[in-house]
PDB file of all heavy atoms in Angstrom:
ATOM      1  N   GLU A   1     -18.035   0.975  -7.794  1.00 96.00           N
ATOM      2  CA  GLU A   1     -19.089   0.344  -8.582  1.00 96.00           C
ATOM      3  C   GLU A   1     -19.287  -1.096  -8.091  1.00 96.00           C
ATOM      4  O   GLU A   1     -18.507  -1.659  -7.316  1.00 96.00           O
ATOM      5  CB  GLU A   1     -18.572   0.233 -10.087  1.00 96.00           C
ATOM      6  CG  GLU A   1     -18.452   1.602 -10.730  1.00 96.00           C
ATOM      7  CD  GLU A   1     -18.109   1.511 -12.208  1.00 96.00           C
ATOM      8  OE1 GLU A   1     -18.275   0.395 -12.808  1.00 96.00           O
ATOM      9  OE2 GLU A   1     -17.702   2.518 -12.770  1.00 96.00           O
ATOM     10  N   GLU A   2     -20.384  -1.637  -8.493  1.00 96.00           N
ATOM     11  CA  GLU A   2     -20.771  -3.055  -7.961  1.00 96.00           C
ATOM     12  C   GLU A   2     -19.902  -4.133  -8.567  1.00 96.00           C
ATOM     13  O   GLU A   2     -19.539  -5.143  -7.860  1.00 96.00           O
ATOM     14  CB  GLU A   2     -22.250  -3.393  -8.284  1.00 96.00           C
ATOM     15  CG  GLU A   2     -23.247  -2.522  -7.487  1.00 96.00           C
ATOM     16  CD  GLU A   2     -24.639  -2.942  -7.781  1.00 96.00           C
ATOM     17  OE1 GLU A   2     -24.869  -4.021  -8.470  1.00 96.00           O
ATOM     18  OE2 GLU A   2     -25.619  -2.261  -7.318  1.00 96.00           O
ATOM     19  N   GLN A   3     -19.465  -3.941  -9.801  1.00 96.00           N
ATOM     20  CA  GLN A   3     -18.691  -5.003 -10.493  1.00 96.00           C
ATOM     21  C   GLN A   3     -17.427  -4.402 -11.141  1.00 96.00           C
ATOM     22  O   GLN A   3     -17.507  -3.300 -11.736  1.00 96.00           O
ATOM     23  CB  GLN A   3     -19.528  -5.664 -11.561  1.00 96.00           C
ATOM     24  CG  GLN A   3     -20.760  -6.463 -10.967  1.00 96.00           C
ATOM     25  CD  GLN A   3     -21.536  -7.140 -12.105  1.00 96.00           C
ATOM     26  OE1 GLN A   3     -21.714  -6.603 -13.182  1.00 96.00           O
ATOM     27  NE2 GLN A   3     -22.043  -8.394 -11.804  1.00 96.00           N
ATOM     28  N   TYR A   4     -16.354  -5.179 -11.033  1.00 97.00           N
ATOM     29  CA  TYR A   4     -15.116  -4.838 -11.790  1.00 97.00           C
ATOM     30  C   TYR A   4     -14.706  -6.121 -12.495  1.00 97.00           C
ATOM     31  O   TYR A   4     -14.697  -7.183 -11.987  1.00 97.00           O
ATOM     32  CB  TYR A   4     -14.022  -4.355 -10.805  1.00 97.00           C
ATOM     33  CG  TYR A   4     -14.293  -2.935 -10.305  1.00 97.00           C
ATOM     34  CD1 TYR A   4     -15.013  -2.755  -9.139  1.00 97.00           C
ATOM     35  CD2 TYR A   4     -13.883  -1.833 -11.034  1.00 97.00           C
ATOM     36  CE1 TYR A   4     -15.251  -1.474  -8.666  1.00 97.00           C
ATOM     37  CE2 TYR A   4     -14.160  -0.588 -10.617  1.00 97.00           C
ATOM     38  CZ  TYR A   4     -14.850  -0.370  -9.385  1.00 97.00           C
ATOM     39  OH  TYR A   4     -15.092   0.903  -9.020  1.00 97.00           O
ATOM     40  N   LEU A   5     -14.334  -5.942 -13.796  1.00 97.00           N
ATOM     41  CA  LEU A   5     -13.940  -7.031 -14.583  1.00 97.00           C
ATOM     42  C   LEU A   5     -12.608  -7.620 -14.105  1.00 97.00           C
ATOM     43  O   LEU A   5     -12.450  -8.842 -14.023  1.00 97.00           O
ATOM     44  CB  LEU A   5     -13.812  -6.610 -16.096  1.00 97.00           C
ATOM     45  CG  LEU A   5     -15.068  -5.955 -16.657  1.00 97.00           C
ATOM     46  CD1 LEU A   5     -14.901  -5.676 -18.186  1.00 97.00           C
ATOM     47  CD2 LEU A   5     -16.304  -6.760 -16.428  1.00 97.00           C
ATOM     48  N   VAL A   6     -11.709  -6.760 -13.838  1.00 97.00           N
ATOM     49  CA  VAL A   6     -10.346  -7.172 -13.371  1.00 97.00           C
ATOM     50  C   VAL A   6      -9.959  -6.233 -12.216  1.00 97.00           C
ATOM     51  O   VAL A   6     -10.176  -4.998 -12.311  1.00 97.00           O
ATOM     52  CB  VAL A   6      -9.273  -7.114 -14.440  1.00 97.00           C
ATOM     53  CG1 VAL A   6      -7.971  -7.680 -13.920  1.00 97.00           C
ATOM     54  CG2 VAL A   6      -9.745  -7.878 -15.769  1.00 97.00           C
ATOM     55  N   VAL A   7      -9.272  -6.752 -11.190  1.00 97.00           N
ATOM     56  CA  VAL A   7      -8.648  -5.950 -10.191  1.00 97.00           C
ATOM     57  C   VAL A   7      -7.234  -6.398 -10.030  1.00 97.00           C
ATOM     58  O   VAL A   7      -6.978  -7.554  -9.781  1.00 97.00           O
ATOM     59  CB  VAL A   7      -9.366  -5.957  -8.841  1.00 97.00           C
ATOM     60  CG1 VAL A   7      -8.563  -5.231  -7.725  1.00 97.00           C
ATOM     61  CG2 VAL A   7     -10.788  -5.292  -8.957  1.00 97.00           C
ATOM     62  N   TRP A   8      -6.247  -5.432 -10.242  1.00 97.00           N
ATOM     63  CA  TRP A   8      -4.868  -5.745 -10.078  1.00 97.00           C
ATOM     64  C   TRP A   8      -4.465  -5.239  -8.656  1.00 97.00           C
ATOM     65  O   TRP A   8      -4.835  -4.164  -8.288  1.00 97.00           O
ATOM     66  CB  TRP A   8      -3.979  -5.017 -11.077  1.00 97.00           C
ATOM     67  CG  TRP A   8      -4.265  -5.466 -12.519  1.00 97.00           C
ATOM     68  CD1 TRP A   8      -3.610  -6.408 -13.233  1.00 97.00           C
ATOM     69  CD2 TRP A   8      -5.220  -4.880 -13.423  1.00 97.00           C
ATOM     70  NE1 TRP A   8      -4.071  -6.528 -14.510  1.00 97.00           N
ATOM     71  CE2 TRP A   8      -5.083  -5.600 -14.672  1.00 97.00           C
ATOM     72  CE3 TRP A   8      -6.167  -3.876 -13.352  1.00 97.00           C
ATOM     73  CZ2 TRP A   8      -5.877  -5.237 -15.780  1.00 97.00           C
ATOM     74  CZ3 TRP A   8      -6.919  -3.505 -14.416  1.00 97.00           C
ATOM     75  CH2 TRP A   8      -6.752  -4.229 -15.642  1.00 97.00           C
ATOM     76  N   MET A   9      -3.666  -6.074  -7.951  1.00 95.00           N
ATOM     77  CA  MET A   9      -3.319  -5.671  -6.536  1.00 95.00           C
ATOM     78  C   MET A   9      -1.823  -5.863  -6.355  1.00 95.00           C
ATOM     79  O   MET A   9      -1.226  -6.839  -6.784  1.00 95.00           O
ATOM     80  CB  MET A   9      -4.090  -6.520  -5.594  1.00 95.00           C
ATOM     81  CG  MET A   9      -5.557  -6.163  -5.522  1.00 95.00           C
ATOM     82  SD  MET A   9      -6.478  -7.177  -4.304  1.00 95.00           S
ATOM     83  CE  MET A   9      -6.814  -8.644  -5.257  1.00 95.00           C
ATOM     84  N   ASP A  10      -1.244  -4.822  -5.735  1.00 94.00           N
ATOM     85  CA  ASP A  10       0.196  -4.834  -5.447  1.00 94.00           C
ATOM     86  C   ASP A  10       0.462  -3.906  -4.283  1.00 94.00           C
ATOM     87  O   ASP A  10      -0.452  -3.201  -3.817  1.00 94.00           O
ATOM     88  CB  ASP A  10       0.999  -4.531  -6.719  1.00 94.00           C
ATOM     89  CG  ASP A  10       2.482  -5.054  -6.577  1.00 94.00           C
ATOM     90  OD1 ASP A  10       2.744  -5.804  -5.611  1.00 94.00           O
ATOM     91  OD2 ASP A  10       3.248  -4.804  -7.541  1.00 94.00           O
ATOM     92  N   SER A  11       1.659  -3.813  -3.864  1.00 93.00           N
ATOM     93  CA  SER A  11       2.019  -2.969  -2.757  1.00 93.00           C
ATOM     94  C   SER A  11       3.430  -2.349  -3.016  1.00 93.00           C
ATOM     95  O   SER A  11       4.137  -2.746  -3.899  1.00 93.00           O
ATOM     96  CB  SER A  11       2.106  -3.732  -1.456  1.00 93.00           C
ATOM     97  OG  SER A  11       3.096  -4.741  -1.496  1.00 93.00           O
ATOM     98  N   ILE A  12       3.668  -1.273  -2.274  1.00 94.00           N
ATOM     99  CA  ILE A  12       4.886  -0.509  -2.419  1.00 94.00           C
ATOM    100  C   ILE A  12       5.342  -0.098  -0.975  1.00 94.00           C
ATOM    101  O   ILE A  12       4.528   0.292  -0.178  1.00 94.00           O
ATOM    102  CB  ILE A  12       4.701   0.638  -3.360  1.00 94.00           C
ATOM    103  CG1 ILE A  12       5.984   1.399  -3.657  1.00 94.00           C
ATOM    104  CG2 ILE A  12       3.600   1.620  -2.874  1.00 94.00           C
ATOM    105  CD1 ILE A  12       5.860   2.389  -4.817  1.00 94.00           C
ATOM    106  N   VAL A  13       6.666  -0.202  -0.718  1.00 93.00           N
ATOM    107  CA  VAL A  13       7.182   0.071   0.617  1.00 93.00           C
ATOM    108  C   VAL A  13       7.803   1.420   0.747  1.00 93.00           C
ATOM    109  O   VAL A  13       8.535   1.850  -0.165  1.00 93.00           O
ATOM    110  CB  VAL A  13       8.186  -1.067   0.963  1.00 93.00           C
ATOM    111  CG1 VAL A  13       8.862  -0.757   2.345  1.00 93.00           C
ATOM    112  CG2 VAL A  13       7.561  -2.464   1.023  1.00 93.00           C
ATOM    113  N   PHE A  14       7.549   2.138   1.846  1.00 93.00           N
ATOM    114  CA  PHE A  14       8.136   3.437   2.138  1.00 93.00           C
ATOM    115  C   PHE A  14       8.712   3.457   3.539  1.00 93.00           C
ATOM    116  O   PHE A  14       8.303   2.649   4.400  1.00 93.00           O
ATOM    117  CB  PHE A  14       7.060   4.506   2.025  1.00 93.00           C
ATOM    118  CG  PHE A  14       6.530   4.741   0.679  1.00 93.00           C
ATOM    119  CD1 PHE A  14       5.391   4.084   0.296  1.00 93.00           C
ATOM    120  CD2 PHE A  14       7.178   5.604  -0.202  1.00 93.00           C
ATOM    121  CE1 PHE A  14       4.844   4.300  -0.978  1.00 93.00           C
ATOM    122  CE2 PHE A  14       6.704   5.774  -1.511  1.00 93.00           C
ATOM    123  CZ  PHE A  14       5.540   5.160  -1.899  1.00 93.00           C
ATOM    124  N   LYS A  15       9.690   4.293   3.759  1.00 92.00           N
ATOM    125  CA  LYS A  15      10.194   4.522   5.108  1.00 92.00           C
ATOM    126  C   LYS A  15       9.460   5.634   5.836  1.00 92.00           C
ATOM    127  O   LYS A  15       9.352   6.721   5.226  1.00 92.00           O
ATOM    128  CB  LYS A  15      11.675   4.754   4.993  1.00 92.00           C
ATOM    129  CG  LYS A  15      12.555   3.611   4.495  1.00 92.00           C
ATOM    130  CD  LYS A  15      14.073   3.857   4.703  1.00 92.00           C
ATOM    131  CE  LYS A  15      14.818   2.580   4.209  1.00 92.00           C
ATOM    132  NZ  LYS A  15      14.467   1.401   5.000  1.00 92.00           N
ATOM    133  N   VAL A  16       8.986   5.277   6.984  1.00 91.00           N
ATOM    134  CA  VAL A  16       8.137   6.243   7.735  1.00 91.00           C
ATOM    135  C   VAL A  16       8.578   6.340   9.165  1.00 91.00           C
ATOM    136  O   VAL A  16       8.917   5.286   9.798  1.00 91.00           O
ATOM    137  CB  VAL A  16       6.626   5.840   7.633  1.00 91.00           C
ATOM    138  CG1 VAL A  16       5.767   6.917   8.395  1.00 91.00           C
ATOM    139  CG2 VAL A  16       6.135   5.620   6.212  1.00 91.00           C
ATOM    140  N   ARG A  17       8.693   7.550   9.713  1.00 88.00           N
ATOM    141  CA  ARG A  17       9.103   7.618  11.094  1.00 88.00           C
ATOM    142  C   ARG A  17       7.965   7.204  12.075  1.00 88.00           C
ATOM    143  O   ARG A  17       6.774   7.546  11.832  1.00 88.00           O
ATOM    144  CB  ARG A  17       9.442   9.082  11.452  1.00 88.00           C
ATOM    145  CG  ARG A  17       9.935   9.309  12.885  1.00 88.00           C
ATOM    146  CD  ARG A  17      10.621  10.643  13.009  1.00 88.00           C
ATOM    147  NE  ARG A  17      11.892  10.748  12.305  1.00 88.00           N
ATOM    148  CZ  ARG A  17      13.023  10.192  12.713  1.00 88.00           C
ATOM    149  NH1 ARG A  17      13.070   9.504  13.895  1.00 88.00           N
ATOM    150  NH2 ARG A  17      14.120  10.268  11.950  1.00 88.00           N
ATOM    151  N   GLU A  18       8.287   6.452  13.006  1.00 88.00           N
ATOM    152  CA  GLU A  18       7.369   6.007  14.084  1.00 88.00           C
ATOM    153  C   GLU A  18       8.044   6.149  15.392  1.00 88.00           C
ATOM    154  O   GLU A  18       8.943   5.308  15.733  1.00 88.00           O
ATOM    155  CB  GLU A  18       6.888   4.537  13.803  1.00 88.00           C
ATOM    156  CG  GLU A  18       5.700   4.153  14.720  1.00 88.00           C
ATOM    157  CD  GLU A  18       5.096   2.800  14.324  1.00 88.00           C
ATOM    158  OE1 GLU A  18       5.614   1.766  14.822  1.00 88.00           O
ATOM    159  OE2 GLU A  18       4.152   2.798  13.488  1.00 88.00           O
ATOM    160  N   GLY A  19       7.685   7.135  16.188  1.00 86.00           N
ATOM    161  CA  GLY A  19       8.368   7.429  17.382  1.00 86.00           C
ATOM    162  C   GLY A  19       9.785   7.863  17.120  1.00 86.00           C
ATOM    163  O   GLY A  19       9.985   8.824  16.293  1.00 86.00           O
ATOM    164  N   SER A  20      10.775   7.183  17.690  1.00 88.00           N
ATOM    165  CA  SER A  20      12.238   7.583  17.485  1.00 88.00           C
ATOM    166  C   SER A  20      12.839   6.806  16.361  1.00 88.00           C
ATOM    167  O   SER A  20      13.996   7.003  16.047  1.00 88.00           O
ATOM    168  CB  SER A  20      12.990   7.376  18.775  1.00 88.00           C
ATOM    169  OG  SER A  20      12.902   6.033  19.165  1.00 88.00           O
ATOM    170  N   LYS A  21      12.044   5.887  15.736  1.00 91.00           N
ATOM    171  CA  LYS A  21      12.633   5.004  14.667  1.00 91.00           C
ATOM    172  C   LYS A  21      12.027   5.335  13.327  1.00 91.00           C
ATOM    173  O   LYS A  21      10.936   5.805  13.176  1.00 91.00           O
ATOM    174  CB  LYS A  21      12.398   3.561  15.004  1.00 91.00           C
ATOM    175  CG  LYS A  21      13.091   3.079  16.320  1.00 91.00           C
ATOM    176  CD  LYS A  21      12.758   1.619  16.561  1.00 91.00           C
ATOM    177  CE  LYS A  21      13.489   1.119  17.791  1.00 91.00           C
ATOM    178  NZ  LYS A  21      13.174  -0.277  18.018  1.00 91.00           N
ATOM    179  N   VAL A  22      12.832   4.982  12.251  1.00 92.00           N
ATOM    180  CA  VAL A  22      12.253   4.967  10.883  1.00 92.00           C
ATOM    181  C   VAL A  22      12.113   3.537  10.445  1.00 92.00           C
ATOM    182  O   VAL A  22      13.074   2.740  10.510  1.00 92.00           O
ATOM    183  CB  VAL A  22      13.211   5.739   9.939  1.00 92.00           C
ATOM    184  CG1 VAL A  22      12.770   5.636   8.497  1.00 92.00           C
ATOM    185  CG2 VAL A  22      13.328   7.223  10.292  1.00 92.00           C
ATOM    186  N   ILE A  23      10.855   3.161  10.167  1.00 93.00           N
ATOM    187  CA  ILE A  23      10.591   1.765   9.794  1.00 93.00           C
ATOM    188  C   ILE A  23       9.930   1.663   8.410  1.00 93.00           C
ATOM    189  O   ILE A  23       9.483   2.648   7.856  1.00 93.00           O
ATOM    190  CB  ILE A  23       9.629   1.138  10.862  1.00 93.00           C
ATOM    191  CG1 ILE A  23       8.294   1.814  10.872  1.00 93.00           C
ATOM    192  CG2 ILE A  23      10.269   1.183  12.254  1.00 93.00           C
ATOM    193  CD1 ILE A  23       7.168   1.098  11.695  1.00 93.00           C
ATOM    194  N   ASN A  24       9.917   0.445   7.878  1.00 93.00           N
ATOM    195  CA  ASN A  24       9.295   0.197   6.643  1.00 93.00           C
ATOM    196  C   ASN A  24       7.744   0.040   6.797  1.00 93.00           C
ATOM    197  O   ASN A  24       7.342  -0.636   7.734  1.00 93.00           O
ATOM    198  CB  ASN A  24       9.804  -1.087   5.968  1.00 93.00           C
ATOM    199  CG  ASN A  24      11.165  -0.879   5.387  1.00 93.00           C
ATOM    200  OD1 ASN A  24      11.642   0.199   5.128  1.00 93.00           O
ATOM    201  ND2 ASN A  24      11.914  -1.990   5.232  1.00 93.00           N
ATOM    202  N   LYS A  25       6.992   0.791   6.050  1.00 94.00           N
ATOM    203  CA  LYS A  25       5.587   0.653   6.002  1.00 94.00           C
ATOM    204  C   LYS A  25       5.125   0.386   4.585  1.00 94.00           C
ATOM    205  O   LYS A  25       5.852   0.836   3.584  1.00 94.00           O
ATOM    206  CB  LYS A  25       4.846   1.831   6.608  1.00 94.00           C
ATOM    207  CG  LYS A  25       5.067   1.930   8.133  1.00 94.00           C
ATOM    208  CD  LYS A  25       4.017   2.808   8.759  1.00 94.00           C
ATOM    209  CE  LYS A  25       4.187   2.770  10.290  1.00 94.00           C
ATOM    210  NZ  LYS A  25       3.139   3.620  10.952  1.00 94.00           N
ATOM    211  N   THR A  26       4.007  -0.306   4.387  1.00 94.00           N
ATOM    212  CA  THR A  26       3.536  -0.705   3.058  1.00 94.00           C
ATOM    213  C   THR A  26       2.282  -0.018   2.728  1.00 94.00           C
ATOM    214  O   THR A  26       1.335   0.101   3.470  1.00 94.00           O
ATOM    215  CB  THR A  26       3.309  -2.263   3.052  1.00 94.00           C
ATOM    216  OG1 THR A  26       4.512  -2.868   3.387  1.00 94.00           O
ATOM    217  CG2 THR A  26       2.865  -2.729   1.673  1.00 94.00           C
ATOM    218  N   ILE A  27       2.287   0.617   1.409  1.00 95.00           N
ATOM    219  CA  ILE A  27       1.071   1.144   0.824  1.00 95.00           C
ATOM    220  C   ILE A  27       0.484   0.028  -0.050  1.00 95.00           C
ATOM    221  O   ILE A  27       1.125  -0.454  -1.002  1.00 95.00           O
ATOM    222  CB  ILE A  27       1.289   2.355   0.039  1.00 95.00           C
ATOM    223  CG1 ILE A  27       1.611   3.533   0.969  1.00 95.00           C
ATOM    224  CG2 ILE A  27       0.087   2.707  -0.843  1.00 95.00           C
ATOM    225  CD1 ILE A  27       0.411   4.259   1.614  1.00 95.00           C
TER     226      ILE A  27
END
């Protein structure tokens, strides 16, 4: 939509494999 009255923003961290390592990534 063109307009939003309020937008709440936050993030959450997950462990994801990248190559041979497991690292933290953020959604």
Side-chain angles (χ1 to χ4, degrees):
E1 296 187 16
E2 289 184 9
Q3 295 182 323
Y4 287 92
L5 306 185
V6 185
V7 171
W8 297 267
M9 291 181 277
D10 202 3
S11 62
I12 185 168
V13 177
F14 294 94
K15 293 192 177 298
V16 183
R17 181 166 293 282
E18 190 172 88
S20 60
K21 296 180 180 179
V22 174
I23 64 171
N24 287 339
K25 290 198 174 182
T26 302
I27 289 281

